[in-house]
Amino acid sequence: MSKPSFTSTRPWILLTVVAGSMLMAGCSPKKVETTTLNIGFQKYGILPIVKARGTLEQALAAQGVQVKWVEFPAGPQLLEGLNVGSVVLGEAGEAPPIFAQAANSNLVYLANQPPAPQAEALIVPKTSNLKSIQDLKGKRVVLNKGSNVHYLLLKVLEANQLKLSDIEVVYLPPADARAAFERGAVDAWVIWDPFFAAAEQQLGARVLATGKNLVNNHQFYLADRKFAQQHPDLLKTVVNELNQTTTWVSQHQQQAAQLLQQPTGLPIEVLNRSISRMGFGVQPISEQVAKQQQFVADAFYQQKLIPNKIDIQTALLKATP
Protein backbone atom coordinates (compact mmCIF):
# COMPACT_ATOMS: atom_id res chain seq x y z
CA MET A 1 0.00 0.00 0.00
CA SER A 2 5.53 4.87 -4.20
CA LYS A 3 4.66 8.30 -6.01
CA PRO A 4 6.56 11.00 -8.09
CA SER A 5 9.67 11.54 -6.01
CA PHE A 6 7.96 9.47 -3.39
CA THR A 7 7.18 5.80 -3.20
CA SER A 8 4.56 3.59 -2.04
CA THR A 9 3.45 2.65 -0.09
CA ARG A 10 1.23 5.13 2.24
CA PRO A 11 2.50 7.74 8.17
CA TRP A 12 3.24 7.68 12.20
CA ILE A 13 2.88 9.37 15.76
CA LEU A 14 5.06 10.29 18.74
CA LEU A 15 3.94 11.15 22.21
CA THR A 16 6.05 13.81 23.86
CA VAL A 17 5.48 14.80 27.47
CA VAL A 18 6.88 18.17 28.32
CA ALA A 19 6.97 19.03 32.01
CA GLY A 20 6.87 22.75 32.69
CA SER A 21 6.00 25.05 35.54
CA MET A 22 3.64 27.95 35.74
CA LEU A 23 3.43 30.59 38.40
CA MET A 24 0.10 31.83 39.60
CA ALA A 25 -0.54 34.51 42.15
CA GLY A 26 -0.42 33.00 45.61
CA CYS A 27 0.23 29.47 44.28
CA SER A 28 3.27 27.21 44.14
CA PRO A 29 4.82 26.24 40.76
CA LYS A 30 2.74 23.53 39.11
CA LYS A 31 3.69 20.84 36.55
CA VAL A 32 1.89 21.00 33.20
CA GLU A 33 1.78 18.21 30.62
CA THR A 34 1.59 18.86 26.91
CA THR A 35 0.88 15.96 24.54
CA THR A 36 2.11 16.26 20.97
CA LEU A 37 1.03 13.64 18.48
CA ASN A 38 3.65 13.36 15.69
CA ILE A 39 2.01 11.73 12.68
CA GLY A 40 4.14 10.54 9.81
CA PHE A 41 2.62 10.85 6.34
CA GLN A 42 3.43 10.51 2.67
CA LYS A 43 2.50 12.81 -0.21
CA TYR A 44 -0.43 10.69 -1.38
CA GLY A 45 -3.20 8.98 0.56
CA ILE A 46 -5.75 9.75 3.24
CA LEU A 47 -3.38 11.23 5.82
CA PRO A 48 -2.25 14.22 3.69
CA ILE A 49 -5.94 14.99 3.14
CA VAL A 50 -6.56 14.81 6.90
CA LYS A 51 -3.59 17.14 7.37
CA ALA A 52 -4.84 19.62 4.78
CA ARG A 53 -8.36 19.75 6.24
CA GLY A 54 -7.23 20.18 9.86
CA THR A 55 -10.08 18.04 11.18
CA LEU A 56 -7.93 15.79 13.36
CA GLU A 57 -6.54 18.77 15.26
CA GLN A 58 -10.11 19.83 15.97
CA ALA A 59 -11.12 16.33 17.10
CA LEU A 60 -8.15 16.00 19.47
CA ALA A 61 -8.23 19.51 20.90
CA ALA A 62 -10.73 18.48 23.59
CA GLN A 63 -8.26 15.83 24.77
CA GLY A 64 -5.49 18.43 25.08
CA VAL A 65 -3.54 16.85 22.21
CA GLN A 66 -1.58 18.83 19.63
CA VAL A 67 -0.76 17.30 16.24
CA LYS A 68 2.57 17.55 14.47
CA TRP A 69 2.99 16.12 10.96
CA VAL A 70 6.23 14.45 9.86
CA GLU A 71 6.69 13.66 6.15
CA PHE A 72 8.38 10.48 4.92
CA PRO A 73 9.23 9.49 1.33
CA ALA A 74 7.87 5.93 1.59
CA GLY A 75 6.36 3.24 3.78
CA PRO A 76 9.64 1.52 4.76
CA GLN A 77 11.07 4.80 6.05
CA LEU A 78 7.86 5.43 7.98
CA LEU A 79 8.12 2.07 9.64
CA GLU A 80 11.74 2.73 10.50
CA GLY A 81 10.60 5.98 12.09
CA LEU A 82 8.08 3.99 14.11
CA ASN A 83 10.75 1.49 15.11
CA VAL A 84 13.17 4.11 16.44
CA GLY A 85 10.47 6.12 18.18
CA SER A 86 10.43 9.28 16.07
CA VAL A 87 6.76 8.62 15.31
CA VAL A 88 4.16 6.31 16.86
CA LEU A 89 1.49 5.95 14.17
CA GLY A 90 1.43 5.81 10.42
CA GLU A 91 0.06 4.33 7.22
CA ALA A 92 1.54 1.79 4.81
CA GLY A 93 0.43 -0.78 2.28
CA GLU A 94 0.51 -4.54 2.78
CA ALA A 95 4.21 -5.14 2.21
CA PRO A 96 6.17 -2.68 4.43
CA PRO A 97 4.72 -3.86 7.77
CA ILE A 98 5.59 -7.45 6.86
CA PHE A 99 9.22 -6.52 6.31
CA ALA A 100 9.22 -4.42 9.48
CA GLN A 101 7.78 -7.28 11.53
CA ALA A 102 10.37 -9.66 10.08
CA ALA A 103 13.01 -7.22 11.37
CA ASN A 104 11.46 -7.34 14.87
CA SER A 105 9.81 -3.93 14.76
CA ASN A 106 7.49 -3.35 17.72
CA LEU A 107 4.50 -2.33 15.60
CA VAL A 108 0.84 -3.26 15.88
CA TYR A 109 -1.86 -3.17 13.23
CA LEU A 110 -4.43 -0.56 14.24
CA ALA A 111 -6.92 -0.32 11.36
CA ASN A 112 -7.27 -0.70 7.60
CA GLN A 113 -9.08 0.64 4.59
CA PRO A 114 -11.19 -1.78 2.52
CA PRO A 115 -9.55 -3.63 -0.38
CA ALA A 116 -8.57 -1.56 -3.43
CA PRO A 117 -7.55 -4.30 -5.91
CA GLN A 118 -8.04 -2.15 -9.00
CA ALA A 119 -5.63 0.49 -7.70
CA GLU A 120 -2.65 -1.60 -8.89
CA ALA A 121 -2.02 -3.33 -12.18
CA LEU A 122 0.34 -4.93 -14.66
CA ILE A 123 0.55 -2.55 -17.62
CA VAL A 124 2.25 -2.43 -21.02
CA PRO A 125 3.04 0.48 -23.39
CA LYS A 126 0.20 1.50 -25.69
CA THR A 127 2.16 0.33 -28.75
CA SER A 128 3.07 -3.05 -27.22
CA ASN A 129 2.27 -6.26 -29.09
CA LEU A 130 1.66 -8.06 -25.78
CA LYS A 131 -2.01 -8.97 -25.47
CA SER A 132 -2.13 -11.42 -22.58
CA ILE A 133 -0.20 -12.53 -19.50
CA GLN A 134 0.96 -15.60 -21.43
CA ASP A 135 2.74 -13.25 -23.83
CA LEU A 136 5.03 -12.19 -20.97
CA LYS A 137 7.14 -15.36 -21.26
CA GLY A 138 10.76 -14.32 -21.66
CA LYS A 139 9.89 -10.62 -21.32
CA ARG A 140 11.28 -7.99 -18.94
CA VAL A 141 8.85 -6.94 -16.19
CA VAL A 142 9.77 -4.07 -13.88
CA LEU A 143 8.49 -3.47 -10.35
CA ASN A 144 9.47 -2.22 -6.90
CA LYS A 145 10.96 -5.15 -4.99
CA GLY A 146 9.09 -6.19 -1.86
CA SER A 147 6.16 -3.86 -2.49
CA ASN A 148 2.44 -4.65 -2.74
CA VAL A 149 2.77 -5.13 -6.48
CA HIS A 150 5.42 -7.80 -5.91
CA TYR A 151 2.64 -9.89 -4.42
CA LEU A 152 0.33 -8.93 -7.30
CA LEU A 153 2.90 -10.19 -9.81
CA LEU A 154 3.15 -13.53 -7.99
CA LYS A 155 -0.64 -13.93 -8.04
CA VAL A 156 -0.99 -12.86 -11.70
CA LEU A 157 1.62 -15.41 -12.79
CA GLU A 158 0.10 -18.12 -10.62
CA ALA A 159 -3.37 -17.49 -12.12
CA ASN A 160 -1.92 -17.94 -15.60
CA GLN A 161 0.18 -21.04 -14.83
CA LEU A 162 3.46 -19.13 -15.03
CA LYS A 163 6.41 -18.85 -12.64
CA LEU A 164 8.82 -16.02 -11.86
CA SER A 165 11.46 -17.94 -13.79
CA ASP A 166 9.32 -17.62 -16.94
CA ILE A 167 9.95 -13.87 -17.04
CA GLU A 168 12.91 -11.55 -16.45
CA VAL A 169 12.20 -9.46 -13.37
CA VAL A 170 13.77 -6.00 -13.13
CA TYR A 171 13.67 -4.27 -9.73
CA LEU A 172 13.44 -0.47 -9.81
CA PRO A 173 11.68 2.19 -7.70
CA PRO A 174 8.69 3.86 -9.40
CA ALA A 175 10.42 6.92 -10.86
CA ASP A 176 13.19 4.83 -12.45
CA ALA A 177 10.68 2.18 -13.49
CA ARG A 178 8.61 4.74 -15.36
CA ALA A 179 11.69 6.03 -17.17
CA ALA A 180 12.58 2.47 -18.23
CA PHE A 181 8.96 1.85 -19.25
CA GLU A 182 8.83 5.02 -21.36
CA ARG A 183 12.04 4.34 -23.26
CA GLY A 184 11.15 0.70 -23.96
CA ALA A 185 13.85 -0.82 -21.78
CA VAL A 186 11.22 -3.09 -20.18
CA ASP A 187 8.16 -4.80 -21.63
CA ALA A 188 5.75 -4.42 -18.73
CA TRP A 189 5.40 -2.58 -15.42
CA VAL A 190 3.61 -3.69 -12.25
CA ILE A 191 2.61 -0.51 -10.42
CA TRP A 192 0.13 1.12 -8.04
CA ASP A 193 -1.78 4.40 -7.89
CA PRO A 194 -1.19 7.22 -8.42
CA PHE A 195 1.70 6.09 -10.69
CA PHE A 196 -0.68 3.65 -12.36
CA ALA A 197 -3.23 6.40 -13.09
CA ALA A 198 -0.44 8.69 -14.34
CA ALA A 199 0.80 6.02 -16.77
CA GLU A 200 -2.73 5.54 -18.09
CA GLN A 201 -3.45 9.26 -18.46
CA GLN A 202 -0.07 10.51 -19.60
CA LEU A 203 1.40 7.54 -21.49
CA GLY A 204 -1.70 5.72 -22.71
CA ALA A 205 -0.52 2.54 -20.98
CA ARG A 206 -2.71 -0.56 -21.46
CA VAL A 207 -3.78 -2.83 -18.61
CA LEU A 208 -3.12 -6.56 -18.92
CA ALA A 209 -4.31 -7.33 -15.38
CA THR A 210 -5.38 -5.48 -12.25
CA GLY A 211 -5.56 -6.93 -8.77
CA LYS A 212 -9.28 -7.69 -9.15
CA ASN A 213 -10.08 -11.25 -7.99
CA LEU A 214 -6.38 -11.77 -7.21
CA VAL A 215 -5.27 -9.52 -4.33
CA ASN A 216 -6.76 -7.16 -1.76
CA ASN A 217 -4.28 -4.27 -1.74
CA HIS A 218 -5.19 -3.00 1.73
CA GLN A 219 -3.90 0.20 3.28
CA PHE A 220 -2.97 -0.30 6.94
CA TYR A 221 -2.66 2.11 9.85
CA LEU A 222 -0.06 0.96 12.36
CA ALA A 223 1.13 2.16 15.74
CA ASP A 224 3.85 1.65 18.31
CA ARG A 225 2.70 -1.18 20.57
CA LYS A 226 3.35 0.57 23.89
CA PHE A 227 1.74 3.79 22.73
CA ALA A 228 -1.33 1.93 21.46
CA GLN A 229 -1.74 0.09 24.76
CA GLN A 230 -1.41 3.27 26.80
CA HIS A 231 -3.63 5.53 24.66
CA PRO A 232 -6.60 3.51 23.33
CA ASP A 233 -9.06 6.43 23.52
CA LEU A 234 -6.77 8.76 21.61
CA LEU A 235 -6.30 6.17 18.86
CA LYS A 236 -10.06 5.56 18.68
CA THR A 237 -10.44 9.25 17.93
CA VAL A 238 -7.80 8.99 15.19
CA VAL A 239 -9.44 5.94 13.58
CA ASN A 240 -12.85 7.62 13.73
CA GLU A 241 -11.47 10.72 12.03
CA LEU A 242 -9.77 8.62 9.34
CA ASN A 243 -13.04 6.82 8.68
CA GLN A 244 -14.98 10.09 8.46
CA THR A 245 -12.35 11.50 6.10
CA THR A 246 -12.66 8.59 3.66
CA THR A 247 -16.43 9.17 3.67
CA TRP A 248 -15.82 12.83 2.85
CA VAL A 249 -13.35 11.89 0.09
CA SER A 250 -15.83 9.44 -1.48
CA GLN A 251 -18.39 12.27 -1.69
CA HIS A 252 -15.98 15.08 -2.64
CA GLN A 253 -13.42 13.46 -4.93
CA GLN A 254 -12.71 16.62 -6.92
CA GLN A 255 -11.98 18.60 -3.75
CA ALA A 256 -9.83 15.77 -2.41
CA ALA A 257 -7.85 15.76 -5.66
CA GLN A 258 -7.27 19.49 -5.29
CA LEU A 259 -5.89 18.96 -1.77
CA LEU A 260 -3.43 16.36 -3.11
CA GLN A 261 -2.36 18.32 -6.17
CA GLN A 262 0.23 20.48 -4.43
CA PRO A 263 2.01 17.77 -2.40
CA THR A 264 2.09 15.26 -5.27
CA GLY A 265 2.59 17.62 -8.21
CA LEU A 266 0.15 15.48 -10.22
CA PRO A 267 -2.58 16.79 -12.54
CA ILE A 268 -6.17 16.79 -11.27
CA GLU A 269 -7.30 14.21 -13.85
CA VAL A 270 -4.65 11.74 -12.65
CA LEU A 271 -5.62 12.24 -9.02
CA ASN A 272 -9.33 11.95 -9.82
CA ARG A 273 -8.75 8.55 -11.41
CA SER A 274 -6.54 7.23 -8.60
CA ILE A 275 -8.88 8.50 -5.85
CA SER A 276 -11.83 6.76 -7.53
CA ARG A 277 -10.03 3.43 -6.97
CA MET A 278 -9.34 3.95 -3.24
CA GLY A 279 -10.94 1.83 -0.54
CA PHE A 280 -13.32 4.07 1.42
CA GLY A 281 -13.77 3.46 5.14
CA VAL A 282 -11.32 2.79 7.99
CA GLN A 283 -12.08 0.06 10.51
CA PRO A 284 -10.18 -1.92 13.19
CA ILE A 285 -8.38 -5.02 11.90
CA SER A 286 -10.67 -8.04 11.57
CA GLU A 287 -9.60 -11.68 11.77
CA GLN A 288 -10.34 -12.03 8.06
CA VAL A 289 -8.06 -9.12 7.14
CA ALA A 290 -5.33 -10.53 9.42
CA LYS A 291 -5.64 -13.89 7.68
CA GLN A 292 -5.34 -12.24 4.26
CA GLN A 293 -2.24 -10.37 5.42
CA GLN A 294 -0.78 -13.69 6.59
CA PHE A 295 -1.11 -15.01 3.02
CA VAL A 296 1.02 -12.10 1.78
CA ALA A 297 3.64 -12.70 4.49
CA ASP A 298 3.80 -16.41 3.68
CA ALA A 299 4.23 -15.70 -0.03
CA PHE A 300 7.12 -13.33 0.68
CA TYR A 301 8.76 -15.91 2.91
CA GLN A 302 8.43 -18.61 0.23
CA GLN A 303 10.11 -16.28 -2.27
CA LYS A 304 12.89 -15.60 0.30
CA LEU A 305 11.99 -11.91 0.36
CA ILE A 306 11.92 -12.00 4.18
CA PRO A 307 14.44 -14.02 6.23
CA ASN A 308 12.01 -15.73 8.58
CA LYS A 309 8.39 -16.80 8.71
CA ILE A 310 6.25 -14.37 10.71
CA ASP A 311 2.91 -14.61 12.50
CA ILE A 312 0.64 -11.63 11.82
CA GLN A 313 -1.39 -12.49 14.94
CA THR A 314 1.49 -11.39 17.16
CA ALA A 315 1.26 -7.89 15.62
CA LEU A 316 -2.44 -7.43 16.28
CA LEU A 317 -3.57 -4.98 18.94
CA LYS A 318 -5.35 -7.03 21.56
CA ALA A 319 -8.40 -5.48 23.20
CA THR A 320 -7.87 -4.50 26.81
CA PRO A 321 -10.27 -6.06 29.36
Side-chain angles (χ1 to χ4, degrees):
M1 236 168 215
S2 311
K3 300 107 186 149
S5 75
F6 58 98
T7 43
S8 65
T9 116
R10 305 260 268 19
W12 316 78
I13 328 178
L14 168 66
L15 175 71
T16 304
V17 179
V18 181
S21 59
M22 51 190 291
L23 296 175
M24 301 176 64
C27 297
S28 301
K30 190 178 185 178
K31 286 187 177 180
V32 177
E33 286 189 352
T34 301
T35 302
T36 302
L37 198 59
N38 289 351
I39 304 177
F41 71 102
Q42 298 173 63
K43 295 179 187 294
Y44 178 82
I46 293 299
L47 281 173
I49 295 174
V50 173
K51 176 180 181 291
R53 296 181 72 213
T55 51
L56 184 60
E57 284 86 345
Q58 297 170 19
L60 290 174
Q63 298 180 36
V65 178
Q66 297 180 336
V67 179
K68 180 180 178 182
W69 297 88
V70 183
E71 185 176 330
F72 289 86
Q77 288 92 331
L78 279 173
L79 294 174
E80 178 59 23
L82 186 75
N83 191 41
V84 301
S86 62
V87 290
V88 295
L89 178 143
E91 177 192 7
E94 293 166 335
I98 289 172
F99 285 88
Q101 189 179 349
N104 299 315
S105 178
N106 195 34
L107 61 79
V108 289
Y109 288 84
L110 179 64
N112 66 276
Q113 289 173 228
Q118 298 190 78
E120 56 182 13
L122 190 155
I123 59 177
V124 295
K126 63 180 179 181
T127 57
S128 173
N129 294 324
L130 303 179
K131 305 297 182 186
S132 71
I133 299 301
Q134 290 292 332
D135 293 337
L136 289 174
K137 284 185 178 180
K139 303 300 183 182
R140 290 167 59 84
V141 180
V142 66
L143 70 150
N144 194 63
K145 186 175 183 179
S147 64
N148 290 12
V149 294
H150 205 148
Y151 184 61
L152 172 60
L153 177 61
L154 296 177
K155 299 304 288 184
V156 166
L157 294 175
E158 179 184 287
N160 289 272
Q161 293 76 52
L162 295 175
K163 304 185 294 294
L164 272 177
S165 58
D166 291 323
I167 62 174
E168 183 182 347
V169 181
V170 179
Y171 295 122
L172 290 174
D176 295 335
R178 171 160 171 161
F181 185 78
E182 285 193 69
R183 69 174 183 268
V186 295
D187 301 291
W189 184 16
V190 199
I191 191 58
W192 63 90
D193 276 332
F195 297 114
F196 169 29
E200 288 181 297
Q201 293 274 354
Q202 298 169 342
L203 306 178
R206 289 191 293 109
V207 176
L208 286 192
T210 69
K212 186 177 181 180
N213 299 323
L214 293 172
V215 299
N216 292 296
N217 190 33
H218 283 116
Q219 283 299 118
F220 289 105
Y221 296 89
L222 306 108
D224 173 77
R225 184 183 297 275
K226 184 177 180 181
F227 181 89
Q229 291 170 342
Q230 292 178 345
H231 302 279
D233 291 340
L234 191 159
L235 292 184
K236 283 179 184 176
T237 301
V238 173
V239 171
N240 182 61
E241 185 55 43
L242 290 168
N243 184 46
Q244 290 183 13
T245 299
T246 62
T247 299
W248 180 86
V249 171
S250 70
Q251 298 169 353
H252 303 85
Q253 294 189 25
Q254 182 74 14
Q255 290 170 256
Q258 290 170 351
L259 292 178
L260 290 173
Q261 190 173 23
Q262 182 175 354
T264 64
L266 289 170
I268 286 291
E269 60 270 18
V270 169
L271 291 166
N272 278 333
R273 178 171 290 199
S274 61
I275 288 172
S276 72
R277 296 190 286 229
M278 278 184 174
F280 299 114
V282 175
Q283 298 297 327
I285 305 295
S286 68
E287 284 299 318
Q288 181 183 7
V289 169
K291 185 176 181 180
Q292 292 164 348
Q293 183 72 340
Q294 187 66 55
F295 291 150
V296 181
D298 291 346
F300 283 168
Y301 175 66
Q302 290 164 7
Q303 294 294 325
K304 298 184 177 7
L305 292 170
I306 56 176
N308 50 286
K309 188 175 177 63
I310 63 170
D311 181 4
I312 296 297
Q313 289 291 326
T314 64
L316 297 185
L317 181 61
K318 305 301 180 184
T320 53

